[in-house]
Amino acid sequence: MQKITRLKLDEAISAYAHQGLTLEIGSYGTSDYKKYFANRIGVDIRPGKGVDQLASVYALPFPDNHFDNILCISVLEHLVEPQKAIAEMQRVLKKNGKIIVSVPFLFPIHDAPNDYWRFTKYGLQILFKDWRIIDLKGETNAQESLASLLQRLGFQSDIKMRYIFKTLIYLVSYILFKLPYLFKNIYGDIRKTKTEKDAFSGAFFLVAEKIS
């Protein structure tokens, strides 16, 4: 069963496909993005599939202004010092180079105990205040987020009468994902004073450009 979050993320990333030199941070176990970034170097602290260079994101073994793009997908939530990591990625990125980021918002703990943070789009604006933000959006709408959480509950749980109830969970998740969007408005507060379409997003997607 294909992950709903992966479908939405691939859709967002594909719009920024590039042939330039690309650094993928936290590449252990992945090779998903080679189809979009063929000239890719994968960095992680663990050896394994998808890893070309062992290194810490806080001390990348590359010169200043080296890469055209950086991929940082589902990584910042696992870093004790995300701001320090962003500064180091900024160092190795060329001027006008792009960083492509995905971070969870309404998403369960998925790498316990090394899962520290959740980010709003307003928090990302602060973290990337020294960059030019090109794209910043929720990856899923409220309905897709509900579907994704149900699907993830099925993936990450043991349940009584496992076959029956897991089948039911996945079925409801699939129906929610495929249904026409049911919500007329989503608000950013309980008083409904300001619409906020991303209030229930499962994750946020950001593309920012290095400006100095």
Side-chain angles (χ1 to χ4, degrees):
M1 186 178 187
Q2 194 164 14
K3 295 177 183 176
I4 292 167
T5 49
R6 179 60 60 188
L7 284 170
K8 303 300 291 187
L9 180 57
D10 281 0
E11 189 179 293
I13 289 174
S14 65
Y16 293 93
H18 197 275
Q19 294 302 308
L21 185 60
T22 299
L23 177 64
E24 182 181 356
I25 301 294
S27 62
Y28 175 81
T30 73
S31 57
D32 298 343
Y33 308 118
K34 284 184 179 179
K35 58 188 173 185
Y36 305 128
F37 303 91
N39 194 11
R40 164 199 162 279
I41 296 173
V43 166
D44 206 292
I45 57 173
R46 301 168 292 177
K49 179 183 175 184
V51 181
D52 302 301
Q53 175 81 51
L54 292 177
S56 165
V57 69
Y58 304 119
L60 293 168
F62 306 107
D64 296 356
N65 309 305
H66 189 62
F67 291 97
D68 298 290
N69 309 284
I70 293 178
L71 293 173
C72 184
I73 307 299
S74 301
V75 172
L76 292 182
E77 70 269 25
H78 303 295
L79 301 178
V80 175
E81 298 179 274
Q83 187 67 74
K84 181 179 176 181
I86 291 167
E88 179 65 352
M89 288 186 276
Q90 188 178 37
R91 179 186 69 79
V92 302
L93 189 63
K94 292 177 182 177
K95 184 178 180 181
N96 303 125
K98 292 181 177 64
I99 188 169
I100 300 168
V101 175
S102 176
V103 289
F105 178 47
L106 295 182
F107 198 75
I109 291 172
H110 53 279
D111 188 24
N114 304 306
D115 189 347
Y116 309 120
W117 313 107
R118 292 295 179 269
F119 301 89
T120 68
K121 66 182 182 182
Y122 304 110
L124 288 172
Q125 287 171 349
I126 294 170
L127 285 174
F128 288 89
K129 62 183 173 60
D130 297 326
W131 302 63
R132 185 171 76 87
I133 295 176
I134 297 169
D135 195 358
L136 177 53
K137 61 190 177 186
E139 290 179 20
T140 55
N141 62 38
Q143 196 165 305
E144 291 165 341
S145 297
L146 287 171
S148 176
L149 284 171
L150 276 173
Q151 186 187 58
R152 195 75 192 195
L153 180 62
F155 290 153
Q156 280 189 225
S157 67
D158 290 324
I159 191 169
K160 294 177 181 178
M161 300 178 68
R162 181 177 182 273
Y163 179 78
I164 294 172
F165 285 110
K166 284 214 172 185
T167 300
L168 181 61
I169 284 171
Y170 292 139
L171 179 60
V172 173
S173 172
Y174 179 81
I175 291 170
L176 270 174
F177 185 62
K178 291 295 185 180
L179 275 176
Y181 193 56
L182 299 174
F183 297 91
K184 291 195 295 183
N185 284 306
I186 296 289
Y187 296 91
D189 66 337
I190 201 167
R191 298 179 301 279
K192 299 183 181 179
T193 60
K194 179 180 172 62
T195 57
E196 176 52 83
K197 66 184 181 63
D198 294 324
F200 289 87
S201 183
F204 285 101
F205 179 79
L206 172 141
V207 180
E209 184 178 82
K210 179 177 174 177
I211 55 178
S212 63

